[in-house]
Amino acid sequence: MARKPTPPGTPQSTSVGHIVDLVRGAVPPLHPAGLPFVLAPLGVAVLGRKRKWVRRGALTSAAACAAFFRHPHRVPPNRVGVVVAPADGEVALVDSAVPPSELDMGTEPLPRVSIFLSVLDVHVQRSPVGGEVTKVVHRPGQFLSADLADASEVNERNSMLLHTPEGHDVAVVQIAGLLARRIVCDAKVGDTLPIGDTYGLIRFGSRVDTYFPAGTTLLAERGQRTIGAETVIAQLP
């Protein structure tokens, strides 16, 4: 996270508060959904503090969960008509596909970009465009590896449809993976999300598909690494 610049000639502070600010700027905050996963092993570490292997194991688990549930600050672009990546990860597919049937977007293939999230990636999801949430539908399913093409059809998923002020419909689909057993979506029908706003999270390995209206120019490349809310993946018509 960037820090506010200080005017030239300002003496460098050595106070405790300055050090705390530096730490806050370097360490991303924790998503609220991760608090139970961090506090539980910390509690075990306190209870088992007299046993080195218990203490170390619990502290390692707490640190790993804190890293997984990190929620870094992002600054989305302000250009009109761009679509940003809804997640950190690797672009697995750049193609055309029929959107999930529960979104009622028709049966014709639409441009799609799929992003695969490993367990090491930031796992919060961000709105790819600014707009009104017109549909949110959760569908139970299987837990195949999220990098498989069939995962879009058969895995558990949560689909959200956004309607932009310019009149475009953009769908973003959270897909559970082999290790993912929980999809969180805080957005509700009627909400208005700014571009890049955090709206959900998938725990422990997953995939996020974005569907665009016909005529969209896809700018992502397969194998590309994306930064959620910042990497531009498409230009709307």
Side-chain angles (χ1 to χ4, degrees), residues 90-178:
E90 180 178 335
V91 176
L93 293 172
V94 179
D95 60 4
S96 295
V98 178
S101 57
E102 60 266 24
L103 291 178
D104 297 323
M105 296 180 70
T107 58
E108 293 298 320
L110 294 176
R112 176 182 67 172
V113 172
S114 297
I115 298 174
F116 175 73
L117 295 74
S118 75
V119 294
L120 300 179
D121 287 310
V122 174
H123 265 63
V124 298
Q125 280 76 62
R126 305 171 192 266
S127 178
V129 294
E132 181 184 356
V133 179
T134 57
K135 283 192 178 182
V136 177
V137 185
H138 180 269
R139 179 173 173 176
Q142 302 179 40
F143 295 96
L144 302 180
S145 178
D147 59 346
L148 297 176
D150 290 345
S152 293
E153 293 291 333
V154 301
N155 277 23
E156 179 171 341
R157 63 180 182 249
N158 188 85
S159 303
M160 181 174 72
L161 187 62
L162 291 159
H163 188 71
T164 72
E166 295 76 27
H168 299 299
D169 287 326
V170 175
V172 59
V173 184
Q174 300 165 286
I175 302 172
L178 185 64

Side-chain angles (χ1 to χ4, degrees), residues 12-24:
Q12 184 174 2
S13 172
T14 57
S15 66
V16 174
H18 178 65
I19 295 175
V20 170
D21 287 342
L22 290 176
V23 172
R24 286 178 177 173

Side-chain angles (χ1 to χ4, degrees), residues 37-56:
F37 294 87
V38 175
L39 293 178
L42 286 179
V44 173
V46 172
L47 294 175
R49 61 187 178 277
K50 294 183 179 180
R51 297 186 179 183
K52 184 183 297 184
W53 65 273
V54 173
R55 184 177 69 251
R56 289 183 176 177

Side-chain angles (χ1 to χ4, degrees), residues 85-95 112-117 121 207-208 219-227 231-233:
D88 291 35
E90 180 178 335
V91 176
L93 293 172
V94 179
D95 60 4
R112 176 182 67 172
V113 172
S114 297
I115 298 174
F116 175 73
L117 295 74
D121 287 310
R207 172 172 154 185
V208 181
L219 303 175
E221 298 286 344
R222 187 173 181 179
Q224 174 185 354
R225 293 289 303 175
T226 61
I227 299 175
T231 301
V232 176
I233 59 173

Side-chain angles (χ1 to χ4, degrees), residues 169-202:
D169 287 326
V170 175
V172 59
V173 184
Q174 300 165 286
I175 302 172
L178 185 64
L179 299 178
R181 301 296 175 183
R182 172 69 170 160
I183 297 176
V184 177
C185 179
D186 297 321
K188 299 177 179 61
V189 173
D191 289 350
T192 298
L193 301 181
I195 185 172
D197 192 46
T198 299
Y199 76 90
L201 176 143
I202 314 175

